[in-house]
Structure formats: C-alpha cells, structure tokens
C-alpha cells in the first residue's frame, strides 16, 4: 500500500511516564497503519494504553512526565514528529479530530454550543465569523439538533444531545481522521445506538477514517472494518472483523470473547480472564500476557515477534511457530 493510501502510518511508538517513584511503560513498540476511509476498532481492557495512543497521535501527551518516542508518525501525509506547535494546532481539528469520552466535561459551560462549533470552523477554515456561525447551524442540524438551538448553553441539553454537539465540533472541519474515545460510554443504551448510527452515516458521508477506542466488541462489530486488540501498551492481534471475530488467534482476544454473554445460551456462565492487567511500571518479561495465559510455556517469557497469519491477519504470539499448537487451535 502506498503512503498516499494511508491516513495513518505509525511505527514503533513508545510512551513512558517518568516520576521520582517509578517509570510507567504505557505504550511499548506499537505499530498501526490505517487505510483512508477505513474504520479500525482499538479494543482492550482499561489500562491497555488505548487513550494514550490517541493522545500521542494528537501530540497531547504532557511532557514531562511523559516521554514519547516514535520512529514514524505520518498522519494525513504530515510528519507529526516534525511539525511546529502552530502547525500542530492547524492539524488538530482539520487533519485529525477527537471525540472525548465524557460529553459532560468536553463542552465549555460558559459558551453557547453554536459558538463552540463555530470557533473550530473559524480557526481552521479561511472564512468570516458569519460563515462559521452558519456552518455551526448546519452541523447541529446534521447531528439531529434544530439549528435554532445554537444559541443555547450545554446545560440546556441532555447527555445524548451534548455528545451530538461534541461530534458536530469534531466533524465541523471535515477531518481526514476521527478518533472517538469511548464516545457512547456515558450514554444510556438507546441513545448509544442512535449516536453510533449517526456516526456511521456521517463517516460514510464525509469519507472520514475512524479510530474507535472501546472495550465493547459489539460497537466494533457495528461500525468498524478492522480490529486491533491492545494489551499492556501494544497491539497483540490485528485483522479484519472476519479475521479477529471468526478466526481469533491470540489467547487474550479469545479471553475477551469468552467473557461476553452468549445470546443463544442464556444459562452459560461467563468465563472471565483470570488475574488483572499487569502493573505498567513492572511489566512481565517477554509476552506481558503470560501470567494470565492458559497456553503459556517457559518460551513465552522471551520477547515475542509479530507473526503474519494471512494477508490481513497478524498476531504476536510465538506459540504459533509450533505447528502442533496451530493445528490444535485451528481445530477448536
Ligand atoms: Fe500466551 Fe505465550 Fe502466546 Fe503470550 S506468547 S499469548 S503467554 S501462548
């Protein structure tokens, strides 16, 4: 795939937070590529490093205590590692935009929602204030809120409507890449479905690429083309929806699926993954999943390599070098 087909090319991202007490290794050698127009779901437990990955892409990790190192970070054809602060400000909102988890805190309570959408348009587009205000009204209508409510303040909106406003701000300048960090977690289930539907439609309308950060595999199945499963600051399995959902390879991904309720067998007990995510300031040697993995051997305590299963499917688990292990897992 050529550079121009990729909206994101990230290679060997490492993020650590250094304090006097300890060093927290949040992201460890993460690689990710995303084709233009595609949506990828970044899934994993709390503490896997999903949000830190997103903040690194926007260059919003606070340094110090954060230390961000990366071999390559090309976003919409721009080398994010070499941009000045002014160029980064121009890129945020236009090349890449982010929807934060909690709509209650993402909006400024002292400005009207219209002003908050128009501000982003005015900053990034070469337009007058009147044109920016007009775009704000159009964006509100696009996310299902009557344009005449542009003059109202965030406290006058429900949680679901606030999240629609946040999405309107994120999409107002038609970014090439949208990062949505658990955009529906704070919403109730019926509103979640509406917001997801709306995001799907807007993404198709604007051909926006999407990184959907979530721990909910149902949301990924609903809205994404690809899945990347994160554990302890790195991607352990990546593939298309079909690869990861129907031909699961990594034992951690298998554990995530086993811990979901089965709609066809309501009496079946859930099988949670034993143990907890490791302490990022004291990660286990080799495969960080080995203390919890039912298939672990002594060899798992050595550094693991990325293995290509098919054109689109990758797994980081050296046990796949053993043909017996592969056959046993394929026959399950
Ligand atoms: Fe489990 Fe070993 Fe594979 Fe890690 S490398 S996932 S411990 S089998």
């Amino acid at each position: 795939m050529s550079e121009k087909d990729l909206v994101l090319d990230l290679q060997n991202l490492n993020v650590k937070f250094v304090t006097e007490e300890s060093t927290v290794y949040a992201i460890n050698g993460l690689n990710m590529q995303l084709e233009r127009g595609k949506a990828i779901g970044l899934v994993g437990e709390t503490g896997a490093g999903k949000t830190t990955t997103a903040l690194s892409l926007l260059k919003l990790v606070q340094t110090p205590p954060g230390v961000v190192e990366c071999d390559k970070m090309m976003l919409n054809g721009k080398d994010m590692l070499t941009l000045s602060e002014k160029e980064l400000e121009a890129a945020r909102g236009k090349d890449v935009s982010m929807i934060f988890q909690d709509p209650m805190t993402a909006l400024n309570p002292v400005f009207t929602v219209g002003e908050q959408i128009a501000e982003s348009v005015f900053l990034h587009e070469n337009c007058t204030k009147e044109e920016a205000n007009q775009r704000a009204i159009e964006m509100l209508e696009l996310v299902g809120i009557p344009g005449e409510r542009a003059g109202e303040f965030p406290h006058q909106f429900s949680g679901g409507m606030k999240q629609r406003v946040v999405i309107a701000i994120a999409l107002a300048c038609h970014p090439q890449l949208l990062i949505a960090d658990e955009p529906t977690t704070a919403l109730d289930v019926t509103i979640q479905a509406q917001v997801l539907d709306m995001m799907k439609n807007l993404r198709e309308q604007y051909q926006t690429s999407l990184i959907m950060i979530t721990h909910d595999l149902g949301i990924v199945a609903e809205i994404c083309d690809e899945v990347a499963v994160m554990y302890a600051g790195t991607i352990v399995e990546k593939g298309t929806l079909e690869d990861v959902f129907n031909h699961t390879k990594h034992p951690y991904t298998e554990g995530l699926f086993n811990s979901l309720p089965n709609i066809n067998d309501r009496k079946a007990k859930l099988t949670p993954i034993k143990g907890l995510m490791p302490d990022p300031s004291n990660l286990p040697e080799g495969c960080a999943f080995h203390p919890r993995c039912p298939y672990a051997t002594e060899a798992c305590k050595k550094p693991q390599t990325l293995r290509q299963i098919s054109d689109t499917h990758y797994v980081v688990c050296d046990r796949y070098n053993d043909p017996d292990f592969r056959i046993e897992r394929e026959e399950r």
Side-chain angles (χ1 to χ4, degrees):
M1 206 179 300
S2 76
E3 281 275 321
K4 67 178 188 342
D5 296 327
L6 294 174
V7 71
L8 174 67
D9 189 1
L10 182 63
Q11 286 176 23
N12 197 23
L13 173 68
N14 291 280
V15 183
K16 58 188 177 186
F17 295 93
V18 183
T19 64
E20 278 179 13
E21 290 78 38
S22 65
T23 300
V24 170
Y25 295 91
I27 306 292
N28 304 297
L30 186 140
N31 300 305
M32 196 190 328
Q33 291 190 326
L34 183 61
E35 211 179 315
R36 281 186 193 280
K38 294 268 176 170
I40 189 167
L42 202 53
V43 298
E45 288 166 276
T46 302
K50 306 184 295 293
T51 300
T52 307
T53 303
L55 293 176
S56 307
L57 292 177
L58 287 145
K59 304 288 294 287
L60 287 176
V61 172
Q62 194 180 340
T63 50
V67 178
V68 181
E69 289 164 344
C70 188
D71 290 351
K72 187 175 188 184
M73 193 188 284
M74 294 297 291
L75 204 153
N76 194 29
K78 292 191 174 140
D79 183 353
M80 297 295 278
L81 299 175
T82 58
L83 295 188
S84 66
E85 196 46 51
K86 206 167 168 215
E87 289 166 327
L88 279 172
E89 268 174 32
R92 294 182 197 123
K94 187 78 185 149
D95 294 294
V96 56
S97 194
M98 184 155 172
I99 300 171
F100 290 93
Q101 214 171 92
D102 184 1
M104 317 299 163
T105 52
L107 295 171
N108 191 329
V110 299
F111 291 101
T112 66
V113 297
E115 283 169 335
Q116 294 184 59
I117 303 171
E119 183 192 16
S120 150
V121 178
F122 185 67
L123 278 176
H124 292 100
E125 309 277 333
N126 193 11
C127 67
T128 63
K129 287 210 164 157
E130 288 67 36
E131 285 164 340
N133 289 337
Q134 186 52 39
R135 172 85 70 86
I137 290 169
E138 286 163 16
M139 287 309 296
L140 273 182
E141 284 173 351
L142 204 64
V143 296
I145 298 175
E148 55 269 24
R149 296 197 65 183
E152 295 182 19
F153 290 87
H155 73 270
Q156 294 171 281
F157 291 81
S158 66
M161 286 181 120
K162 280 196 194 88
Q163 191 59 304
R164 286 168 186 263
V165 173
V166 171
I167 292 170
I169 294 173
L171 288 175
C173 298
H174 307 164
Q176 292 298 307
L177 175 64
L178 177 66
I179 303 174
D181 187 1
E182 310 252 10
T184 56
T185 305
L187 308 176
D188 66 50
V189 188
T190 48
I191 305 295
Q192 272 188 22
Q194 287 174 16
V195 169
L196 282 178
D197 261 359
M198 190 192 69
M199 283 184 65
K200 203 172 169 181
N201 294 338
L202 290 175
R203 199 176 75 71
E204 280 163 14
Q205 189 173 336
Y206 291 124
Q207 287 293 299
T208 310
S209 312
L210 173 72
I211 298 177
M212 170 64 81
I213 295 176
T214 180
H215 56 260
D216 186 335
L217 289 159
I219 290 180
V220 174
E222 181 84 16
I223 206 166
C224 298
D225 308 298
E226 297 172 12
V227 194
V229 181
M230 275 194 85
Y231 189 79
T234 197
I235 291 174
V236 293
E237 182 164 7
K238 181 175 180 283
T240 61
L241 273 190
E242 161 78 13
D243 292 333
V244 177
F245 278 61
N246 297 341
H247 307 282
T248 310
K249 287 289 176 275
H250 198 278
Y252 175 63
T253 317
E254 181 184 300
L256 288 180
F257 281 114
N258 287 344
S259 51
L260 291 177
N262 182 347
I263 200 162
N264 297 317
D265 185 0
R266 288 167 181 253
K267 289 188 182 154
K269 287 194 175 168
L270 301 185
T271 316
I273 303 171
K274 288 195 179 116
L276 295 171
M277 184 75 81
D279 175 358
S281 63
N282 186 21
L283 288 171
E285 295 276 299
C287 172
F289 188 53
H290 83 253
R292 304 171 76 186
C293 180
Y295 309 102
T297 64
E298 271 307 301
C300 300
K301 294 182 183 168
K302 295 190 182 136
Q304 306 292 303
T305 47
L306 181 77
R307 185 186 171 86
Q308 187 163 7
I309 305 282
S310 71
D311 283 354
T312 52
H313 197 179
Y314 299 84
V315 66
V316 181
C317 171
D318 278 357
R319 286 219 60 195
Y320 278 92
N321 295 336
D322 173 358
D324 291 340
F325 183 72
R326 278 204 307 273
I327 293 163
E328 179 201 312
R329 305 250 318 142
E330 260 144 36
E331 283 175 351
R332 278 175 315 124

